[in-house]
Amino acid sequence: MDYSIKICGEAGQGIQTIGDTLAKVFSRACRHVFTHQDYESRVRGGHNFFQIRFSDKPVAASRKKIDILVAFDKESLVLHERELSENGQIIYDASTNPPSPPFDKGGRGGILDIPFTKLAVEHGGNKLMANTVAIGAVLGMLGMEPDILFEIIRDTFKKKGEDIIKSNINAVMAGHDYAVKQCLKCNFSAAPLSKSKMLISGIEAIGFGAVASGCKFYSAYPMTPSTGIMNYLAGKEKEYGIVVEQAEDEIAAINMALGASFAGVRAMTGTSGGGFALMVEGLSLAGMTETPVVIALGQRPGPATGLPTRTEQADLQFALYTAHGEFPRVIFAPGTPEQAFYLTNKAFDIAEKYQIPAFILFDQYLADSQWTFDGFDLNRIKFMDYKLRDDSFKNLSEYKRYAFTETGVSPLGLPGDSAHVVVTDSDEHDEKGHIIEDAETRIKMVQKRLFNKFALIRQEMEPPVFYGDDEPDILIAGWGSTYGVMKEVVDAFLENPPVPPLTKGGEGGFSIKKIAMLHFSEIYPFPLSVSCHSRENGNPGGIDSCLRRNDKIGAEKFDYLSLLNNAKLTICIENNATGQFARLMRAETGYEFKNKINRYDGRQFLLEELVEEIKKCGK
């Protein structure tokens, strides 16, 4: 069982509400779920869709083929009819937007006219419940009882009273019963699994990770796709004592976060490309004053306003090199909501441990995608207070905020916590924080905050996640939100090898089934490639024994460069035009990808499309 449902229509027609609700129903009914959205930058009108894939096995990417198309306007029929699978079905309210037949390009299931609005008025008492009718109809087509949906309705409308709840339940049943009786070609079977799942999006996971890491201050100016973090944390303000401030602009936002951090709380800010451009001076201030701060940077297609609601991975070099002067920074780029949760925690820990800025780099695709998991292990959350507090601060005979140390990390005292004065300055300064101009102190301070720290930070970075054959002939590599689709491509090649076979690879060609992926989520400082033979714990040798299939953060260190050099076909996959990650890898390791697959139309890779692109590289 592996079905995809696409709900389409104009902004303002409740497309996201239907999609969110169905995704909740499927996850609570023990199915594995993956969703993604596509919407235009407008409040009403335009063409939007919400796509849900659910299965009895884990899913991590969207497919091209659709099994049920819920169309709320004629444009949706025209645009998506060709995506229907062999037995795909369209449901549509012909009374409100008459279709222009024939619609015969898609599946054999054809088109089913369901009077959403009429049923909503007759059974729910309000035409606004047409969406509720549609949700009930989808469940009816799938042969699923609506009990879980009823629970969601009761929870959603409990403050509005029993009459509203009853009306929505009646609307659900109207759509459900209509589909059961009228959809004579429906042959879907949505078999349940054994355990309900947690459903979470990438943006929610970043917010959740911030709460779990002890974030107490978040400031931002709303900007897609990062706004969801502010909304999530604002919803937790009272429960967890978090101050969320909507600043007047991004300049204020980052400086507010730096002020909060200086005062002693864990602080975070978030934005997207144009907003980050405004934050740059504040970023440099964090570098000079060694003030911990976490920055969530949401990528979207640029330059300038670009495509504000769509996806791209084109801000990696921007995050790497923005700001003046030289100072250490850390960049994480999660590929799943699970990685987003744990890496946000790691960003807070490293930012405070080394007193540096740390980035969570994501994109619209990861932000809005929803995944199902059994749950997150909160025992893996790391929280250590690295600040100098109470008696340990008060009893010092002398305090130097920027004391020279072997690690480069100076004691982080809080103003007002003792009789010691905490001095900080954006000018170059001495150990006590006072302005200097002499060359000797300047050199020693750069050595302290840059070179001493950077070498230690680099040791904290985990190597890429490896998945697939231990001795791959084909090795695909990517970063950030490409994780899910790359993993499914590996599975697709293993289960259904391409025909005709690929031909490149030198003498004897290569085995199609010997495919694997490397996914980088800890981008900078670039992770070390560790030789298995040199590991202190005494690895018996051989690259096989160094590799560990591990989908989670914390994969074993291994010699990924040897893996790349031994593969017959390597491909770097990125959602940008110029291969920014491939360039970074060449600069950091000397390894150059001979093949690249780049997509830069504002859309993410789909499973079937990426399989075809990889086949082309192999021929």
Side-chain angles (χ1 to χ4, degrees), residues 22-42:
L22 283 171
K24 287 180 183 175
V25 171
F26 297 145
S27 61
R28 294 185 189 184
C30 314
R31 278 76 170 184
H32 297 277
V33 178
F34 180 89
T35 78
H36 88 272
Q37 300 181 57
D38 186 290
Y39 49 95
E40 298 183 1
S41 178
R42 60 180 70 183

Side-chain angles (χ1 to χ4, degrees), residues 402-460:
Y402 301 105
F404 296 128
T405 65
E406 187 175 341
T407 63
V409 179
S410 306
L412 182 57
L414 304 179
D417 200 30
S418 79
H420 296 294
V421 178
V422 179
V423 180
T424 192
D425 202 297
S426 63
D427 284 57
E428 189 58 276
H429 41 253
D430 61 17
E431 290 180 278
K432 290 187 176 182
H434 300 304
I435 298 173
I436 60 93
E437 294 282 350
D438 67 282
E440 181 182 357
T441 305
R442 163 69 179 180
I443 291 172
K444 290 176 70 175
M445 201 55 73
V446 171
Q447 179 70 45
K448 178 193 102 67
R449 68 172 170 253
L450 177 58
F451 294 120
N452 290 4
K453 286 184 184 179
F454 192 83
L456 296 175
I457 296 169
R458 185 166 184 145
Q459 294 291 331
E460 304 245 13

Side-chain angles (χ1 to χ4, degrees), residues 64-222:
K64 189 175 180 180
K65 288 296 180 183
I66 303 301
D67 298 292
I68 297 177
L69 177 65
V70 184
F72 279 91
D73 60 6
K74 285 186 284 189
E75 186 181 8
S76 298
L77 293 172
V78 174
L79 290 175
H80 301 293
E81 187 193 11
R82 293 177 184 273
E83 298 170 9
L84 284 175
S85 61
E86 184 178 359
N87 294 309
Q89 287 268 358
I90 299 171
I91 59 174
Y92 186 84
D93 187 349
S95 66
T96 54
N97 285 294
S100 301
F103 289 102
D104 56 0
K105 298 171 184 172
R108 297 173 184 170
I111 185 168
L112 176 63
D113 177 11
I114 300 180
F116 299 140
T117 303
K118 180 182 177 184
L119 291 174
V121 173
E122 290 177 354
H123 297 270
N126 192 325
K127 65 180 182 181
L128 295 178
M129 293 181 189
N131 291 350
T132 311
V133 173
I135 297 170
V138 170
L139 297 183
M141 294 172 73
L142 294 169
M144 294 178 66
E145 295 300 323
D147 298 350
I148 295 174
L149 178 57
F150 293 163
E151 294 175 9
I152 294 172
I153 288 174
R154 292 189 183 99
D155 186 54
T156 303
F157 297 110
K158 60 184 176 185
K159 293 183 180 178
K160 294 191 175 182
E162 194 60 34
D163 288 345
I164 295 294
I165 292 173
K166 186 177 179 181
S167 297
N168 276 279
I169 288 176
N170 289 340
V172 167
M173 286 309 304
H176 183 275
D177 292 347
Y178 192 95
V180 169
K181 293 175 183 175
Q182 301 299 325
C183 190
L184 303 179
K185 296 181 179 180
C186 285
N187 59 356
F188 303 110
S189 177
L193 303 178
S194 60
K195 185 179 178 183
S196 62
K197 306 291 182 186
M198 177 180 73
L199 181 71
I200 189 168
S201 69
I203 206 78
E204 291 169 336
I206 293 172
F208 186 16
V211 173
S213 302
C215 176
K216 295 298 179 186
F217 184 86
Y218 185 88
S219 53
Y221 182 81

Side-chain angles (χ1 to χ4, degrees), residues 295-358:
I295 302 168
L297 176 53
Q299 302 170 99
R300 66 190 204 185
T305 308
L307 297 172
T309 60
R310 303 200 182 275
T311 199
E312 197 161 82
Q313 294 181 301
D315 288 348
L316 174 57
Q317 301 284 337
F318 189 32
L320 274 168
Y321 303 120
T322 298
H324 55 288
E326 298 168 298
F327 57 91
R329 69 186 74 187
V330 166
I331 299 175
F332 298 122
T336 72
E338 184 181 46
Q339 288 187 354
F341 175 72
Y342 292 118
L343 286 178
T344 299
N345 174 246
K346 188 168 182 177
F348 273 98
D349 183 72
I350 284 194
E352 187 170 309
K353 184 176 182 180
Y354 295 101
Q355 302 168 23
I356 59 169

Side-chain angles (χ1 to χ4, degrees), residues 574-593:
E574 299 186 63
N575 261 124
N576 58 50
T578 60
Q580 294 191 15
F581 176 79
R583 290 208 304 278
L584 175 64
M585 187 156 184
R586 183 183 178 187
E588 293 286 333
T589 69
Y591 184 83
E592 182 172 9
F593 286 97

